[in-house]
Amino acid sequence: MIDQQTPLRGGVPCIPVRPRTGRFLVLAVVFVCAACGLVYELELVALASYLIGDSVTQASVVLSLMVFAMGIGSLLAKRLRARAAVGFGLLEAALALVGGSSALILYASFAWLGESRYALVGFSLVIGVLIGAEIPLLMTLIQRVDRQDAGGAVADLFAADYVGALVGGLAFPFLLLPVMGQLTGALFTGAVNAAAGLALVLWVFRHDLNPRSRWLLVAVNAAVIALLATASVLVDDFERAARRAVYGGEVRVAMQTDLQEVVLTGPRDGSLDLYLDGRLRVSSRDEYRFHEALVHPAMKGPHRRVLILGGGDGLAAREVLRYPDVTSVVVVELDPAVTRLARTDPALSALNAHAFDDPRLTTVAEDAFTWLRAARDRYDVVISDLPDPGITASTKLYSAEFYGLVAGALGPGGRLVVHASPPSNRPATFWTVEASVRAGGLSTRPYRVEGRLTGFAGGPDRVTDGTEAPRDWGFVLAARSAGGRLGMDPGAPALRTLGEGELLAGRRAVERARWHGVPPSTLVHPRY
């Protein structure tokens, strides 16, 4: 359908460029819009996983809602086809504003309201509607500049759309995140989105616009770009204010490494807290209970050579190095910035008793799974001080395959100890980890310790979903052969091994939850 305002020349719409050039420009904007749209989607998934956790659930929610909303947007776009040029220009301005500011508003809702799920759902729906409305309008525009059959136009549009999505999907993790960060990257993407839509309409379809429409488009898009640019200038101040709202006023260190955000707060009321990607990892209020319970049971047998998987804060190493007959400690930590902070920050290094200055300790900056595959040495004790099993990104480090690699790294009489989530609060996760250790070929002895003062060590310190914060930690001690009676060194908190009744009940619950043939590790999920 041709806009009644479009000048005609011999029954063909008159545009200021040759048809092939116009067609190329329309497809180029399709490419840019597709790249921007996918960046918005990935930005929502990444930030939701960071703020809420459980990336599988967040990706499923965002993508399914957006695809549904895209269908709604396509239907709504029918009303705009009569004035496709003006409609597309305003649509891109709205998409740029909503998509570009989505990360900022999502983070603000988490920082000041303590809840970001509703904002996530709202942005997923609105962005999906706006993205879905693009293709019908672009289909109308491309047929105006170059008359071709509908099948050919659809093929060209979707080809440009898919290639743009590819570029956007690669640009997000490899360019935008490392160079600009999540918030600035989203704002920049929105500005590019608005500029591309405005340029296409003003250049190729300017004859479709009357003076009022032209000035309206210029004013709206200029205002959107100005708002996004202003927000990008103020984003550092915003992040500092948000961190104060989330972590309190005494933030010692806040940095974005190549892998995660690291925040160290305190000492506040005598407490030093370490957060990784917004999740409380260590609190000096009760970390000694956790690390003593994690380390000392495994050290009851041979312990001259010790391997610590994770533990970049140096606190597990502190407990290991208390034993004078330990000759070698290897710490395999994925993020070297964490070990660097634990070595150089005065408060944190004092908390770990300057463990990284001990000549017996060696650090390796590598993924634990990958490192174990190539490992040839054997160890008397392996300590798994890894992120909580409820964090999806760490699931492979709680798999039966991973524990099979650990079993291969154990020497004669060697022991493994694993932090396996609180049994009182997440029993299914705890028993699934225990089942995964057994599936890796090891005999297990689960136990727990009470006296926990802080929230989830692998989750938000403040619980906003109504779940009661755990008051214990759960562990699994394992060896190649059945272990004897579990003991503790003097000075450590009292442990309680789980009785045979609890063992049978927990293992049966995991077996009932399994699908036939599915490894137990696949059931590790933070919702439990």
Side-chain angles (χ1 to χ4, degrees), residues 44 520 523:
L44 287 178
L523 297 177

Side-chain angles (χ1 to χ4, degrees), residues 11 30 76 127 130 133 142 180 220 249 338 340 343 358 376 387 469 491:
V30 172
L76 295 177
I127 293 174
L130 295 173
I142 198 171
M180 299 182 180
V220 170
V338 174
R340 191 181 309 117
R343 179 184 288 112
D358 194 301
R376 294 293 179 266

Side-chain angles (χ1 to χ4, degrees), residues 210-394:
N210 57 37
R212 181 179 177 182
S213 298
R214 185 179 296 111
W215 284 112
L216 174 64
L217 284 177
V218 171
V220 170
N221 281 275
V224 168
I225 294 173
L227 283 172
L228 296 175
T230 302
S232 66
V233 172
L234 300 175
V235 74
D236 289 339
D237 294 332
F238 170 82
E239 287 184 330
R240 282 191 289 270
R243 286 195 185 103
R244 285 194 296 270
V246 174
Y247 303 114
E250 300 184 27
V251 176
R252 293 176 58 87
V253 177
M255 61 179 175
Q256 179 67 48
T257 73
D258 293 337
L259 300 169
Q260 60 194 340
E261 183 188 55
V262 179
V263 175
L264 184 64
T265 67
R268 180 178 66 249
D269 300 328
S271 174
L272 185 74
D273 297 328
L274 175 64
Y275 295 84
L276 302 180
D277 271 346
R279 297 173 176 86
L280 180 64
R281 175 63 177 161
V282 168
S283 176
S284 62
R285 286 170 285 178
D286 57 6
E287 64 78 18
Y288 68 95
R289 294 177 179 271
F290 172 84
H291 289 98
E292 288 177 357
L294 174 70
V295 171
H296 294 297
M299 300 292 284
K300 294 297 289 183
H303 54 251
R304 293 178 62 83
R305 294 173 55 81
V306 179
L307 171 64
I308 301 176
L309 304 174
D313 49 51
L315 299 170
R318 176 196 65 195
E319 298 302 319
V320 170
L321 292 170
R322 295 186 191 278
Y323 294 81
D325 51 344
V326 169
T327 60
S328 171
V329 180
V330 178
V331 176
V332 181
E333 167 62 47
L334 179 62
D335 193 346
V338 174
T339 55
R340 191 181 309 117
L341 179 66
R343 179 184 288 112
T344 59
D345 182 80
L348 186 55
S349 62
L351 187 63
N352 64 39
H354 304 280
F356 291 99
D357 295 333
D358 194 301
R360 294 175 290 173
L361 188 145
T362 304
T363 60
V364 178
E366 195 170 342
D367 175 71
F369 199 105
T370 304
W371 186 85
L372 279 172
R373 278 182 166 175
R376 294 293 179 266
D377 294 333
R378 296 293 176 265
Y379 298 90
D380 300 313
V381 177
V382 177
I383 298 170
S384 180
D385 187 14
L386 294 162
D388 191 87
I391 301 173
T392 306
S394 66

Side-chain angles (χ1 to χ4, degrees), residues 361-512:
L361 188 145
T362 304
T363 60
V364 178
E366 195 170 342
D367 175 71
F369 199 105
T370 304
W371 186 85
L372 279 172
R373 278 182 166 175
R376 294 293 179 266
D377 294 333
R378 296 293 176 265
Y379 298 90
D380 300 313
V381 177
V382 177
I383 298 170
S384 180
D385 187 14
L386 294 162
D388 191 87
I391 301 173
T392 306
S394 66
T395 300
K396 72 173 183 178
L397 303 178
Y398 289 86
S399 65
E401 294 80 5
F402 179 74
Y403 295 124
L405 294 174
V406 172
L410 288 173
R415 287 183 167 194
L416 162 70
V417 64
V418 179
H419 164 228
S421 201
S424 62
N425 188 268
R426 298 176 178 174
T429 300
F430 177 83
W431 289 110
T432 299
V433 172
E434 191 268 344
S436 297
V437 176
R438 286 189 288 111
L442 299 170
S443 299
T444 62
R445 179 65 61 87
Y447 63 99
R448 68 185 181 94
V449 62
E450 297 181 341
R452 186 172 187 164
L453 301 177
T454 54
F456 291 99
D461 189 29
R462 53 180 180 177
V463 182
T464 60
D465 60 0
T467 304
E468 182 182 354
R471 290 292 175 257
D472 64 352
W473 291 283
F475 306 90
V476 176
L477 183 64
R480 286 182 177 275
S481 57
R485 183 178 178 81
L486 185 65
M488 282 294 296
D489 284 352
L495 299 182
R496 188 174 79 81
T497 56
L498 301 181
E500 291 300 322
E502 292 173 290
L503 284 172
L504 290 175
R507 289 172 178 175
R508 285 172 181 168
V510 171
E511 291 301 321
R512 285 196 300 269

